[in-house]
Amino acid sequence: MSVSNLKVAVIGANGKVGRFLLTQLKNDTKHFSTPLAVVRSKEQQNFFKNEFGINASLTSIEHSSVKELAAALKGYDAVVFTAGAGGKGLERIFTVDLDGCVKTVEACEQLGIKRLIVVSAIKAEDRSFWWNMEGLRDYYIAKRAADHDVRNSKLDYTILQPGFLQEGKGTGLVQPLDRIEEKKDSYKIEREDVASAIVQCLLHPETTSRKTIELANGDQPIETFIKSL
C-alpha cells in the first residue's frame, strides 16, 4: 500500500492523542490526504470542521452499528482506533474500549480496509502486571480482549501499547524494545509521542504490520525505532 496521499480516518479523534494525531496528519500533505475525525457529538463535529478545518463524521463508536460505522469509514485507506472511555464506568469501558474496537475491525473487514492501527495499553497481555491495579483492572481486561480480536483478524494491524500517558510536550524519543524493561518502574510516554509513533506506523507498514509494539519514552528517535522493527 502506497503511503502517498493516504486517507486516514481517526476514531477517538477528540481525545488528546487523537488531536495530536490529526494535527500531524493534516500538516503532512506530502504523505496524507485530509484526515477524517470520527466523533460522537455534534459539538465535536463542528469543532473539527470549523476550527480544525478537516472532515468530521458524527458516528458514535459506542452507539453506532457496524453498518453505520462502515458507512462513515468508506473510501478511506487506513483507520486509527484511539478511542477510550476515559475510566467513565464499566459499561462504557466495555462498549468503547472493547466492543468499539471489535466493531471497527468488523467494519474494516466489510469494507476491505486492510490497515488498522490500534492504541492499546502496555503489558495488556500480562495479568500479573495489571491485575492488582486498583481502578484499572476492568480497563485492562477490555484492552486485552480487544487486542486478541484484532490479532485474530485478517487485517494488516499494528497494536501500539503505550505506557502511562503524560501531559507534557513530545520528546520525539522512545525506548528501544530490547531495553523496554529498563522502564518497568515508570512506563511513561507523552501523548504527542504516541501520535508521532502512529504516523510512523502509517508511513512504514513494511516494519509494523501484524505487530504489537510497546511504547515508552526513551533515547531513540521515533522514526529510527519504527524503521528498525
Side-chain angles (χ1 to χ4, degrees):
M1 178 177 62
S2 171
V3 295
S4 177
N5 300 122
L6 195 68
K7 296 179 68 177
V8 181
V10 179
I11 298 171
N14 197 55
K16 294 177 182 178
V17 171
R19 289 196 183 196
F20 278 126
L21 173 60
L22 286 165
T23 298
Q24 293 183 32
L25 294 175
K26 178 185 174 184
N27 291 339
D28 186 355
T29 56
K30 178 181 178 181
H31 297 109
F32 301 102
S33 296
T34 302
L36 173 71
V38 179
V39 296
R40 61 183 175 86
S41 74
K42 188 67 176 177
E43 181 183 14
Q44 293 171 1
Q45 184 184 38
N46 289 337
F47 168 78
F48 281 106
K49 283 186 174 181
N50 300 327
E51 304 296 327
F52 241 69
I54 65 171
N55 303 324
S57 172
L58 179 53
T59 309
S60 167
I61 191 64
E62 187 175 6
H63 300 294
S64 297
S65 66
V66 173
K67 183 178 179 180
E68 290 167 335
L69 181 58
L73 301 177
K74 187 175 181 179
Y76 284 82
D77 304 310
V79 175
V80 176
F81 183 89
T82 184
K88 296 177 181 177
L90 180 59
E91 182 178 353
R92 290 207 70 226
I93 287 172
F94 286 150
T95 56
V96 177
D97 294 277
L98 175 50
D99 199 45
C101 185
V102 172
K103 286 192 286 189
T104 300
V105 169
E106 293 174 3
C108 287
E109 289 179 332
Q110 283 187 15
L111 292 168
I113 298 174
K114 296 292 289 183
R115 193 71 173 114
L116 173 65
I117 313 290
V118 171
V119 179
S120 180
I122 199 159
K123 304 294 181 187
E125 292 88 23
D126 185 0
R127 288 189 183 91
S128 67
F129 175 75
W130 48 259
W131 189 257
N132 293 318
M133 286 186 180
E134 186 175 353
L136 285 178
R137 185 189 298 172
D138 294 336
Y139 168 79
Y140 261 101
I141 289 171
K143 286 297 188 186
R144 185 180 187 276
D147 289 357
H148 278 235
D149 196 83
V150 173
R151 290 192 195 98
N152 287 328
S153 74
K154 296 180 180 179
L155 304 180
D156 295 328
Y157 68 82
T158 302
I159 299 171
L160 291 177
Q161 295 185 330
F164 302 108
L165 300 175
Q166 305 298 298
E167 299 283 353
K169 182 176 176 56
T171 67
L173 301 169
V174 291
Q175 188 76 348
L177 290 181
D178 61 354
R179 293 194 286 114
I180 192 76
E181 293 312 307
E182 294 175 12
K183 299 289 183 176
K184 64 182 178 181
D185 294 328
S186 59
Y187 295 113
K188 295 179 180 179
I189 187 164
E190 300 296 341
R191 286 174 167 85
E192 188 173 7
D193 290 327
V194 176
S196 297
I198 294 169
V199 170
Q200 289 302 316
C201 287
L202 290 167
L203 292 174
H204 298 287
E206 72 283 357
T207 61
T208 58
S209 289
R210 299 194 70 81
K211 289 184 180 179
T212 301
I213 303 165
E214 293 181 320
L215 294 175
N217 279 134
D219 55 20
Q220 187 174 41
I222 293 172
E223 183 176 1
T224 303
F225 170 82
I226 292 297
K227 286 182 176 179
S228 70
L229 295 173

